[in-house]
């Protein structure tokens, strides 16, 4: 394989070689032709002079008379330097007085063929015989012509120079020009095109040759398109299509740069993990299209509030990550975050729907809360959950304490699952006693955890955590099943047939399958729905109240009863009591502790009165003394629970308690 330069060079060399061979041949031809012309000229003068002299000479003396004739010949012909006539060794007449003797034989030429230019230029003297008669006696003279050497040399060399210039140099110049043109218009552009194809460095300038220009233009066009496509792909790979914000890829990339830079400068930055509050509700009620537009609107607002160099990314459905590195102090940072939250809280007009949404934000700092992307994101996420748990629409900074809490909760989740598998949970039962006749009218199921290594864990320590991480749902079903089964056991065994009260957490209502699962459970063959009492707290009314209200009505419709636990400690809105299908009010233990004081008594008596007015049953919790019981009896409270009669007991001991109680009839 050889290049176009070499290829064309070889062709040029061949052309040049052929050209110069032809040129050389013609040059030699031309030399010879010119030589022949000169020889012809000399020969003509020689033979004419010889003829004139021979016809007009009658004796040797008269030869001298031709001096002027010869001089004229020499003068007329620039080729001839001089002429001489010799007789034997004697010069009879000459045009050049320096010629004293005839030239030696070997220097003379009498035949004119086959004489080259080179021979002509060398000292050649032309000779012709002059024959004449003196009184019929033949004599022979020799006529010599001496060519003008200088003139001939001059003539040939001038001719040579002309020839070389015309046929030798001009083509050479032309070839050089051709060569330059070739480089300029063909090989250089080709090389540029090659480099462009390889490195796409600089766009080659327009080519003068049409075909090359076509190639160049199409290359530029193709590369342009490829570059655009590559840019587009790069953009797509790094942007979130819906919001136009950075996506996780770009976030990771920019965070790595930022971390490297912050490490160099010993600077800090804040990573915000933001999650919209109740975005699912918007999606469920208004549809995904509106949900998407809301996300776009939120993205636009964040961009509005923040500055160009702040990183804003959407990393999940309604999850955003914001990285702020340009703030003077935490106060300014707080203001920025508050501005973001405030803008998001403004009413968004999506199509024609006014939509309200809020957000919770968790903040983690580099390097304090993590020196790599994973830890920063994780800890900001933890702080965000804390913001959600603290009531949403706010922000929280990450703390070590939070971290420990999260770790403990993760461990707890794992432990609860294992406890369910290995039957570490047990239900204790605390009797509910009627204050009218001191009979056992019910039993509250209270969970206990016998952990194999941590020992006995009271419900206060794991129920709230299980509510936070959602494990309460699974655990709650186990408790309900277990309590229902126990009620049926006691009934079948003839021990006692009383309702069991089961504590239900508000979180359990969030389970989408709550209603159908509950229905299945209460329809357990052999179970009487009225023998289940569910204890709920006021928090049920606050979270998703509409759904919860429906669930409560279903529970009530199925035949189970509902008790409002810890009454008086929460919102205690009378509106709930009217609109919800309640059967029982439970007076919280804190009121019983205070029964002796004026305010404590006022509360207890008010609750009892409300219950009587609304025809609700009342249970007083945490009754520990005979005095408390006497007091309750006085004010007309229906029933009580408490250590005074019995602490919550494991099944075996509860059964013993029942037997003894029926026999002895105590707790009064
Ligand atoms: P709670 O529903 O208000 O239960 C009453 C608590 O008071 C029980 O504590 C019980 O042992 C205690 N108690 C009863 N009588 C007396 C008394 O005379 N004096 C004193 N000092 N305490 C008394 P426990 O079993 O430790 O339960 C604590 C809380 O844990 C419960 O409060 C309830 O909110 C929750 N819990 C317990 N078991 C379950 C359960 O199975 N499911 C759900 N969701 N929560 C449960
Ligand atoms: Ca309870
Ligand atoms: Ca209670």
């Amino acid at each position: 394989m050889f290049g176009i330069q070499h290829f064309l060079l070889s062709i040029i060399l061949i052309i040049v070689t052929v050209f110069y061979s032809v040129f050389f041949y013609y040059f030699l031809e031309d030399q010879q032709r010119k030589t022949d012309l000169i020889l012809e000229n000399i020969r003509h003068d020689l033979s004419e002079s010889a003829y004139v002299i021979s016809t007009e000479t009658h004796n040797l003396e008269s030869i001298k008379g031709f001096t002027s004739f010869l001089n004229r010949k020499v003068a007329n012909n620039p080729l001839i330097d001089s002429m001489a006539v010799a007789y034997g060794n004697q010069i009879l007449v000459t045009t050049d007085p320096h010629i004293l003797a005839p030239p030696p034989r070997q220097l003379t030429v009498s035949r004119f063929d086959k004489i080259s230019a080179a021979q002509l230029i060398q000292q050649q003297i032309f000779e012709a015989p002059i024959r004449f008669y003196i009184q019929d006696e033949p004599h022979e003279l020799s006529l010599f012509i001496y060519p003008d050497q200088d003139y001939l040399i001059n003539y040939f060399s001038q001719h040579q120079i002309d020839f070389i210039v015309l046929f030798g140099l001009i083509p050479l110049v032309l070839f050089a020009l051709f060569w330059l043109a070739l480089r300029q218009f063909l090989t250089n552009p080709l090389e540029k095109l090659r480099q462009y194809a390889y490195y796409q460095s600089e766009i080659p300038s327009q080519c003068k040759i049409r075909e090359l220009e076509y190639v160049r233009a199409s290359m530029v066009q193709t590369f342009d398109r490829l570059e655009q496509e590559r840019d587009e792909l790069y953009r797509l790979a790094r942007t979130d299509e819906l919001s136009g914000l950075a996506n996780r890829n770009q976030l990771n990339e920019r965070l790595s740069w930022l971390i490297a830079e912050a490490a160099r400068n010993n600077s800090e930055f804040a990573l915000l993990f933001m999650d919209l509050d109740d975005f699912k509700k918007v999606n469920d009620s208004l549809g995904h299209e509106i949900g998407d537009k809301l996300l776009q609107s939120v993205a636009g607002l964040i961009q509005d509030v923040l500055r160009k160099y702040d990183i804003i990314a959407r990393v999940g459905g309604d999850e955003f990550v914001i990285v702020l590195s340009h703030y003077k102090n935490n106060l300014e940072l707080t203001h920025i975050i508050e501005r973001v939250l405030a803008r998001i809280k403004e009413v968004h007009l999506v199509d024609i729907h006014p939509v309200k949404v809020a957000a919770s934000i968790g903040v983690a700092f580099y390097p304090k809360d993590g020196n790599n992307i994973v830890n920063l994101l994780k800890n900001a996420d933890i702080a965000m959950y804390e913001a959600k748990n603290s009531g949403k629409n706010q922000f929280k900074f990450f703390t070590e304490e939070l971290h420990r809490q999260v770790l403990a909760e993760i461990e707890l989740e794992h432990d609860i699952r294992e406890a369910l598998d290995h039957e570490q949970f047990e239900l204790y039962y605390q009797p509910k006693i009627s204050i009218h006749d001191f009979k056992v009218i019910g039993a509250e199921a209270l969970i206990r955890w016998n952990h194999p290594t941590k020992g006995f864990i009271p419900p206060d320590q794991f129920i709230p955590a299980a509510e936070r991480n959602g494990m309460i749902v699974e655990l709650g079903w186990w408790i309900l099943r277990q309590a229902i089964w126990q009620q049926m056991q006691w009934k079948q065994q003839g021990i006692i047939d009383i309702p069991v009260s089961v504590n239900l957490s508000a979180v359990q209502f969030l389970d989408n399958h709550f209603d159908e699962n509950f229905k299945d459970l209460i329809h357990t063959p052999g179970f009487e729905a009225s023998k289940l009492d569910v204890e709920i707290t006021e928090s049920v009314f606050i979270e998703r109240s509409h759904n919860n209200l429906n669930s409560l009505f279903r529970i009530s419709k199925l035949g189970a009863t509902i008790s409002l636990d810890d009454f008086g400690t929460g919102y205690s809105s009378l509106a709930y009591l009217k609109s919800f299908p309640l059967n029982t009010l439970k007076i919280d233990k804190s009121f019983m502790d205070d029964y002796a004081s004026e305010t404590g008594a006022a509360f207890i008596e008010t609750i009892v009165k409300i219950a009587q007015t609304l025809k609700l049953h009342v249970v007083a919790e945490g009754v520990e003394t005979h005095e408390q019981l006497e007091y309750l009896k006085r004010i007309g409270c229906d029933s009580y629970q408490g250590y005074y009669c019995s602490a919550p007991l494991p099944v075996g001991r509860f059964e013993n308690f029942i037997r003894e109680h029926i026999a002895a009839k105590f707790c009064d």
Side-chain angles (χ1 to χ4, degrees):
M1 207 159 61
F2 47 90
I4 192 154
Q5 285 222 38
H6 285 126
F7 174 69
L8 289 173
L9 193 66
S10 317
I11 290 192
I12 290 171
L13 270 177
I14 293 170
I15 293 173
V16 167
T17 313
V18 171
F19 180 86
Y20 275 105
S21 308
V22 173
F23 160 75
F24 194 64
Y25 171 77
Y26 274 103
F27 176 71
L28 290 181
E29 277 285 279
D30 191 63
Q31 288 273 75
Q32 194 56 52
R33 218 177 52 243
K34 289 200 162 59
T35 309
D36 289 349
L37 273 174
I38 289 168
L39 288 173
E40 178 57 29
N41 184 301
I42 290 171
R43 196 190 58 77
H44 179 263
D45 272 7
L46 200 61
S47 56
E48 190 193 56
S49 303
Y51 174 74
V52 170
I53 292 170
S54 76
T55 50
E56 291 178 18
T57 299
H58 308 296
N59 54 48
L60 288 174
E61 272 312 298
S62 62
I63 296 280
K64 294 224 172 25
F66 284 102
T67 309
S68 56
F69 170 75
L70 292 181
N71 274 335
R72 216 168 39 248
K73 279 273 169 215
V74 168
N76 282 343
N77 195 339
L79 290 167
I80 298 169
D81 180 62
S82 47
M83 293 177 87
V85 179
Y87 182 69
N89 281 335
Q90 193 189 351
I91 293 290
L92 294 182
V93 77
T94 177
T95 58
D96 182 355
H98 293 101
I99 299 169
L100 300 173
R105 271 276 118 215
Q106 69 270 18
L107 283 185
T108 63
V109 182
S110 50
R111 292 178 61 86
F112 283 78
D113 47 346
K114 290 191 181 148
I115 289 177
S116 68
Q119 285 168 319
L120 180 64
I121 289 167
Q122 278 159 25
Q123 191 71 31
Q124 291 281 359
I125 299 158
F126 299 95
E127 182 187 0
I130 306 171
R131 294 198 181 86
F132 68 99
Y133 292 89
I134 304 174
Q135 290 156 2
D136 297 332
E137 198 181 322
H139 288 271
E140 192 171 286
L141 295 175
S142 294
L143 176 64
F144 297 105
I145 284 184
Y146 295 81
D148 188 330
Q149 226 65 41
D150 292 341
Y151 181 87
L152 282 177
I153 288 171
N154 228 335
Y155 175 80
F156 277 109
S157 64
Q158 187 55 49
H159 176 243
Q160 240 166 7
I161 287 168
D162 286 353
F163 206 87
I164 286 171
V165 166
L166 201 66
F167 289 96
L169 278 183
I170 288 177
L172 217 76
V173 169
L174 285 179
F175 285 135
L177 286 177
F178 173 74
W179 182 241
L180 283 177
L182 189 76
R183 284 175 60 96
Q184 176 73 19
F185 298 120
L186 192 65
T187 55
N188 283 353
L190 272 175
E191 172 59 18
K192 287 239 170 73
L193 284 182
R194 187 190 68 82
Q195 292 204 355
Y196 181 53
Y198 244 80
Y199 311 111
Q200 285 153 55
S201 43
E202 65 178 292
I203 298 173
S205 46
Q206 260 198 356
C207 298
K208 299 283 187 297
I209 295 175
R210 196 179 352 125
E211 285 78 0
L212 276 186
E213 176 53 21
Y214 287 167
V215 171
R216 187 199 71 93
S218 48
M219 264 170 85
V220 170
Q221 225 173 43
T222 308
F223 283 145
D224 264 7
R225 204 189 57 233
L226 284 176
E227 200 166 332
Q228 272 169 17
E229 282 171 6
R230 193 193 56 199
D231 288 353
E232 181 62 14
L233 279 177
Y234 183 69
R235 200 187 60 74
L236 277 182
R238 290 162 43 91
T239 8
D240 168 52
E241 218 178 323
L242 179 73
S243 64
L245 299 176
N247 66 5
R248 213 172 254 280
N249 289 342
Q250 193 186 147
L251 174 71
N252 282 344
E253 190 182 289
R254 291 178 67 183
L255 262 179
S256 325
W257 295 339
L258 193 62
I259 286 175
E261 194 187 285
R264 256 199 318 279
N265 305 335
N266 265 334
S267 57
E268 71 159 41
F269 64 82
L271 185 140
L272 281 56
F273 199 102
M274 184 179 103
D275 188 284
L276 297 185
D277 297 336
D278 304 316
F279 177 68
K280 201 175 160 320
K281 266 190 203 163
V282 177
N283 256 349
D284 289 349
S285 54
L286 299 173
H288 284 266
E289 212 174 306
I290 301 288
D292 283 356
K293 285 186 179 159
L294 177 66
L295 288 174
Q296 286 168 342
S297 168
V298 168
L301 283 184
I302 307 173
Q303 280 175 310
D304 255 13
V305 175
L306 302 181
R307 287 158 296 188
K308 274 236 148 45
Y309 36 76
D310 296 324
I311 304 172
I312 311 167
R314 189 171 84 110
V315 295
D318 60 341
E319 294 171 342
F320 297 83
V321 169
I322 298 168
V323 183
L324 303 173
S325 47
H326 294 77
Y327 53 89
K328 282 197 232 58
N329 47 39
N330 281 356
L331 187 71
E332 194 189 288
L333 175 69
T334 308
H335 285 325
I336 298 173
I337 299 173
E338 276 167 350
R339 259 206 320 275
V340 171
L341 286 177
R343 287 300 299 274
I344 290 175
K345 253 196 99 177
E346 287 170 10
V347 176
H348 300 255
L349 200 67
V350 182
D351 289 347
I352 48 155
H353 305 269
V355 184
K356 266 196 86 106
V357 73
S360 300
I361 294 178
V363 188
F365 291 97
Y366 171 91
K368 181 173 76 69
D369 302 330
N371 56 8
N372 58 48
I373 299 175
V374 175
N375 284 345
L376 281 170
L377 281 173
K378 191 186 73 193
N379 292 340
D381 191 35
I382 288 172
M384 191 275 289
Y385 268 98
E386 180 61 16
K388 290 242 181 224
N389 284 333
S390 309
K392 305 180 179 174
N393 182 34
Q394 55 184 290
F395 67 94
K396 286 274 181 212
F397 290 109
F398 173 79
T399 58
E400 265 312 307
E401 175 51 35
L402 254 181
H403 191 211
R404 269 195 296 278
Q405 210 174 305
V406 168
L407 286 185
E409 271 175 31
I410 291 170
E411 192 182 60
L412 184 76
E413 181 177 339
H414 170 258
D415 279 4
I416 290 178
R417 192 153 278 142
E418 205 158 69
L420 280 170
D421 289 345
H422 294 96
E423 296 176 0
Q424 291 167 12
F425 291 115
E426 187 184 348
L427 290 186
Y428 276 36
Y429 294 89
Q430 185 178 39
K432 289 185 182 183
I433 313 291
S434 160
I435 298 178
H436 306 302
D437 54 13
F438 300 103
K439 280 189 177 153
V440 177
I441 54 164
E444 180 179 1
L446 292 156
I447 194 163
R448 299 291 178 261
W449 184 355
N450 299 306
H451 195 279
T453 54
K454 292 174 188 159
F456 180 83
I457 307 174
D460 293 333
Q461 278 183 29
F462 64 88
I463 294 287
E467 283 175 340
R468 277 197 296 276
N469 65 25
M471 278 308 286
I472 189 71
V473 173
E474 218 176 312
L475 189 56
W477 291 123
W478 180 86
I479 296 166
L480 267 172
R481 266 198 314 275
Q482 185 67 21
I484 286 175
W485 178 83
Q486 190 60 65
Q487 201 282 337
M488 289 179 5
Q489 284 300 103
W490 286 331
K491 184 184 171 183
Q492 276 168 25
Q493 291 169 12
I495 295 170
I496 197 164
D497 185 13
I498 45 165
V500 279
S501 292
V502 175
N503 293 287
L504 273 193
S505 155
V507 180
Q508 288 176 263
F509 287 105
L510 297 178
D511 179 5
N512 287 332
H513 304 291
F514 179 82
D515 290 342
E516 55 185 288
N517 285 356
F518 189 85
K519 192 170 145 191
D520 288 350
L521 257 180
I522 218 156
H523 286 154
T524 305
F527 183 70
E528 222 179 299
S530 63
K531 293 289 155 56
L532 179 68
D533 177 64
V534 294
E535 294 192 4
I536 54 162
T537 59
E538 284 154 316
S539 62
V540 168
F541 306 132
I542 297 148
E543 293 265 346
R544 300 212 322 169
S545 49
H546 189 69
N547 272 332
N548 294 353
L549 179 67
N550 285 341
S551 294
L552 285 179
F553 272 108
R554 283 198 191 95
I555 290 173
S556 179
K557 254 208 166 126
L558 286 167
T561 56
I562 299 167
S563 298
L564 188 54
D565 207 353
D566 304 342
F567 185 69
T569 58
Y571 295 85
S572 307
S573 159
L574 292 178
Y576 303 141
L577 305 184
K578 251 187 71 183
S579 50
F580 284 83
L582 299 174
N583 303 88
T584 306
L585 283 189
K586 293 188 78 175
I587 304 173
D588 191 65
K589 179 179 178 297
S590 56
F591 296 111
M592 283 320 297
D593 292 344
D594 245 8
Y595 88 99
S597 78
E598 216 174 295
T599 43
F603 268 111
I604 298 170
E605 283 157 38
T606 309
I607 296 171
V608 171
K609 282 219 176 73
I610 291 171
Q612 283 168 348
T613 314
L614 295 173
K615 302 215 162 41
L616 299 175
H617 193 78
V618 197
V619 182
E621 286 186 301
V623 177
E624 294 179 340
T625 63
H626 187 70
E627 288 72 35
Q628 285 174 323
L629 182 58
E630 283 301 313
Y631 167 74
L632 289 172
K633 205 176 182 175
R634 260 201 324 276
I635 63 166
C637 181
D638 300 316
S639 51
Y640 81 95
Q641 257 178 280
Y643 291 175
Y644 177 66
C645 182
S646 168
L649 300 170
V651 173
R653 282 180 54 202
F654 181 80
E655 289 170 357
N656 288 339
F657 166 85
I658 294 294
R659 285 187 199 104
E660 286 166 21
H661 181 84
I662 290 168
K665 222 182 175 199
F666 51 98
C667 295
D668 53 347

